[in-house]
Amino acid sequence: MDRVRSGRGALGVAAACIAVLVASGCASTATGGPTPGSTAALEEAGPWADDFGAALADDVSPFEARILADGAVSSEEVEAAHDRVGRCLADSGFGIDYDPDGGFELQSLDDRYPDDFFERSDPVLRSCERKSDEYVTYLFSETRRNPDRLDEATITVPCLRDTGLVGSEYTEQRWRADYEAGSFPFDETADAAVQCRLDPLGLWRTP
């Protein structure tokens, strides 16, 4: 009865769509580079700069702010955030197992799963994430998956065609309609479909 939650997915994350920039000035460091958290530092995030700015403007914890302030998230920083969430959950008797492809399993450390497991665990998880990982995992995953922040249909349809899941007649317009309807003309659980969803540009995941 492990609770599985997908975490912040590739699409539909409202917080990442808030076009708010952090007005923190453009001061330079002693070496001439941008100060972390400044507009100049966030601009180094390229097309994701607004998303980093929106996250920083959302009253994130000091721990998370330090990670996001330079407009980039490293794998080591993601691991640090996950470790903090895990230790926070353990204080309340819960464990968490992160999937390298995204998402996680939330577990009971005493292997007991009463009917109200979700009701008890979810507020604890949300509290732990607020302290360490409201945006870190999401921004790491999305900037790695789609660094130029290209349109989803533009990067997904060629992948689907290349893998043979759809034919050349399958258009970006059709993909958008199918996405809105939540129904695609192929098996979404097939390995190729999962690959095109998680890593349509083939930048980081080995099929």
Side-chain angles (χ1 to χ4, degrees), residues 100-120:
D101 281 341
F104 53 79
E105 286 185 352
L106 193 61
Q107 304 158 337
S108 173
L109 295 182
D110 63 7
D111 290 325
R112 294 163 58 185
Y113 296 90
D115 292 341
D116 65 345
F117 178 74
F118 176 82
E119 287 74 13
R120 292 192 300 107

Side-chain angles (χ1 to χ4, degrees), residues 1 3 94 114-125:
M1 189 176 170
R3 178 194 165 216
F94 302 112
D115 292 341
D116 65 345
F117 178 74
F118 176 82
E119 287 74 13
R120 292 192 300 107
S121 63
D122 194 62
V124 177
L125 173 62

Side-chain angles (χ1 to χ4, degrees), residues 51-64:
D51 298 79
F52 277 87
L56 286 165
D58 196 28
D59 195 28
V60 294
S61 68
F63 168 81
E64 195 161 8

Side-chain angles (χ1 to χ4, degrees), residues 136-194:
V136 168
T137 295
Y138 169 75
L139 288 171
F140 171 76
S141 298
E142 288 305 286
T143 54
R144 177 178 65 170
R145 173 183 179 273
N146 185 8
D148 294 325
R149 217 178 192 287
L150 301 174
D151 177 75
E152 284 295 323
T154 300
I155 63 177
T156 302
V157 171
C159 180
L160 296 173
R161 289 174 180 166
D162 290 345
T163 59
L165 288 172
V166 299
S168 59
E169 75 285 352
Y170 190 81
T171 63
E172 294 178 10
Q173 183 178 6
R174 171 71 185 282
W175 182 89
R176 293 188 184 95
D178 289 343
Y179 177 80
E180 288 298 323
S183 177
F184 291 95
F186 50 82
D187 179 5
E188 295 180 65
T189 66
D191 290 344
V194 172

